[in-house]
Structure formats: structure tokens, C-alpha cells
Amino acid sequence: MTNPCNNNDFSISEHQKDNAVIVSIVGSVTTDKADELRERLEQIAAKQPPIIVLDISKMDFICSAGLGAIIIGYLKCRHHKGQVRIASPSDKIRELLETTRLDKLLDVFDTVEDALKG
Amino acid sequence: MRLNKMTERVITTDLSAARDLIREIIREVEAAGYDKDDCFAIRLATEEALINAIKHGNKFDRSRKIRVSTDIDSQRVEITIADEGEGFDPASVPDPTADENLEKPCGRGIMLMRAYMDEVIYNDKGNEVRMIRNRFSGLPKIRKTSANILERKDD
């Protein structure tokens, strides 16, 4: 079984739900994975969806470079007045978002359904 | 009985070497009985410090080395990371939690190290950082005030 304290697995998947793109980020966003996350978010944002929901329920770690990748996606989305919403963070990741005050920049929701409602 | 494990390692300026080293350190921290909060905090701070050493210290120069020493006992974890760069003044790094910096993609590493470790001490040159975390000391080490200023919880 994978140990979440020392897990280096990482994957991204996406699917459309109405006018939103739900992006599931799974595992650990370490520095060497941050570029992959940034590129994927930029690709999605380039299609100009009104809402991008980042489902991070299965994210167990993110470093500053990973946070930076999300911010770049947010800025790119804002160009076309789109929104990036965070959904379902674990307690640790929520604390990280609060500690960095990124919860002031990005709306954080308890569930994907809540994030879709806005 | 006081268990104490001191280890010194030297790695090349390389992301995969850093990743492997972090895994080793976290395995040792777990083996010493630290909980998931401790492991998360130590993993985050070590990642940030190593990336700073690779990127800003050694500037991705693979001919330069990074020295990492760890001192792990049952009550605290101490990690020292030194690069071969010119050093810097950590006080000169802007506060990434200030309103005007929130949209900047970079610049959160040192703040996270300070938030998740009990002590973060740079040498005078600024190319070596010593980080200490006491066992079960919780997450994170700083809190927001009503004025949106981040302060250490133990201040």
C-alpha cells in the first residue's frame, strides 16, 4: 500500500460537466511534477471554459512550485473571465492553502458539487 | 533510551537526486515514530530547502554539490542543507502572503519552511539552512491575525 507521507505518485485527469471542466489531481505535486500540472492547466484554460474545478480530494502533498502552477492556471483563466475553484482538499492541504493565504485568491469548497454550484 | 541517528550525505545538483533523498529522510523520520503531520511538515520543508539549493544556490550547475546532514532522535528532527552558491539574505525575500504578492507564482518556499518547522536558521552567507522540528508540534507553525499578518503561534 502506498504511504501518503512518502508517495511520489502523481496523475491528472479531466472531464467536462456542463459548463465546467473538472480536473482531478491525484497524489503528490512535487517540484518535478509542477511543470506537468502547469502545462495541463494552461492547455485547459486555453479552451476558455467558464469554470475549472480542481478536485484535489486525492492530493496528499503539494509544494510551492505546485501552488505556483495552480496560480498560473488561475491567471490564465482570468484572462477570459473564467474561474478556478478548489474542491475537497484534505485538512492538511486546506491548512496549506490558508497558511499561504491562497484561499483568499481561490475559492475553496468542501465538495466538487459545491464547487460546481459556486 | 535516547535513539539518535546522524547522517551526512552529498548529492549532485539534480531534482531526481533530491527526490530520492527526501524519500530516504522521510523513511528515517517515520522509522523514528513521527506522525503524519510531522512527516508532511518535514517533507515540505526539506523539498523547499533542497529546491532552493538546486535552483537559487547552485543554479542547476551539476558540477556543484549539496551537503545534507540529518540528526533524528525521538524528540526532534534537525536537517541542515548547504549549497555551493553565493548565498542570499533571507530577510530580502518579499512576504508571499502580502496582498500584493498573492498572485505571484513563486516565492513561497522560505515562508513554508518557516511555517512548518519550529526553527529555520540561515548562516551569515545565506547558503546553508538549518531546520528543526520538534515531535508532535502540529501544523502549521504560523497563524493569521485579524490584520492578515502571519505570526508564529509560539511568539
Side-chain angles (χ1 to χ4, degrees), chain A residues 23-26 54-60 70 86-90 93-94 97 112:
Chain A
V23 183
S24 299
I25 307 169
V26 175
L54 302 183
D55 175 4
I56 60 171
S57 56
K58 293 179 181 171
M59 176 192 288
D60 47 42
I70 291 175
I86 305 283
S88 200
S90 67
I93 303 295
R94 186 183 285 273
L97 293 169
V112 170

Side-chain angles (χ1 to χ4, degrees), chain B residues 67 80-83 87 121-130:
Chain B
R67 288 183 295 109
T80 303
I81 296 172
D83 61 60
I121 304 151
Y122 280 88
N123 67 354
D124 289 343
K125 187 177 176 183
N127 69 340
E128 178 182 296
V129 62
R130 186 161 63 99

Side-chain angles (χ1 to χ4, degrees), chain B residues 39-103:
Chain B
C39 291
F40 181 92
I42 292 163
R43 182 183 184 189
L44 181 61
T46 306
E47 167 119 5
E48 299 298 342
L50 276 172
I51 295 310
N52 283 348
I54 290 170
K55 188 177 176 184
H56 303 296
N58 287 355
K59 302 188 186 308
F60 297 104
D61 180 351
R62 290 175 63 91
S63 70
R64 292 180 170 182
K65 305 295 184 193
I66 298 169
R67 288 183 295 109
V68 180
S69 61
T70 55
D71 184 357
I72 300 168
D73 67 26
S74 60
Q75 295 307 312
R76 73 173 205 166
V77 173
E78 180 174 329
I79 301 169
T80 303
I81 296 172
D83 61 60
E84 296 180 348
E86 301 302 313
F88 76 112
D89 176 9
S92 68
V93 177
D95 176 5
T97 66
D99 286 344
E100 65 272 21
N101 294 328
L102 282 183
E103 293 187 357

Side-chain angles (χ1 to χ4, degrees), chain B:
Chain B
M1 184 176 70
R2 181 181 166 89
L3 295 171
N4 182 258
K5 181 171 183 180
M6 292 182 66
T7 310
E8 292 203 4
R9 304 170 175 93
V10 178
I11 63 167
T12 54
T13 301
D14 178 75
L15 283 177
S16 66
R19 186 182 58 222
D20 291 345
L21 176 56
I22 292 166
R23 288 183 71 115
E24 274 183 45
I25 291 171
I26 295 304
R27 269 193 223 110
E28 291 171 6
V29 170
E30 286 177 322
Y34 286 80
D35 69 8
K36 288 180 181 176
D37 284 353
D38 288 326
C39 291
F40 181 92
I42 292 163
R43 182 183 184 189
L44 181 61
T46 306
E47 167 119 5
E48 299 298 342
L50 276 172
I51 295 310
N52 283 348
I54 290 170
K55 188 177 176 184
H56 303 296
N58 287 355
K59 302 188 186 308
F60 297 104
D61 180 351
R62 290 175 63 91
S63 70
R64 292 180 170 182
K65 305 295 184 193
I66 298 169
R67 288 183 295 109
V68 180
S69 61
T70 55
D71 184 357
I72 300 168
D73 67 26
S74 60
Q75 295 307 312
R76 73 173 205 166
V77 173
E78 180 174 329
I79 301 169
T80 303
I81 296 172
D83 61 60
E84 296 180 348
E86 301 302 313
F88 76 112
D89 176 9
S92 68
V93 177
D95 176 5
T97 66
D99 286 344
E100 65 272 21
N101 294 328
L102 282 183
E103 293 187 357
K104 291 182 180 171
C106 304
R108 291 176 179 81
I110 295 172
M111 176 265 172
L112 288 173
M113 290 154 58
R114 288 187 169 134
Y116 283 82
M117 300 297 275
D118 289 291
E119 293 180 56
V120 175
I121 304 151
Y122 280 88
N123 67 354
D124 289 343
K125 187 177 176 183
N127 69 340
E128 178 182 296
V129 62
R130 186 161 63 99
M131 306 185 293
I132 297 169
R133 182 175 170 92
N134 298 309
R135 188 171 186 170
F136 303 145
S137 57
L139 291 175
K141 315 304 290 183
I142 55 177
R143 62 177 165 77
K144 286 172 286 187
T145 68
S146 56
N148 279 338
I149 296 167
L150 293 165
E151 291 180 344
R152 290 192 69 84
K153 280 179 176 172
D154 51 1
D155 283 346

Side-chain angles (χ1 to χ4, degrees), chain A residues 3 7 31-32 64 78 101, chain B residues 19 30 43 48 97 103:
Chain A
N3 176 357
N7 173 29
T31 303
D32 54 334
S64 65
R78 201 174 62 179
R101 294 191 68 232
Chain B
R19 186 182 58 222
E30 286 177 322
R43 182 183 184 189
E48 299 298 342
T97 66
E103 293 187 357

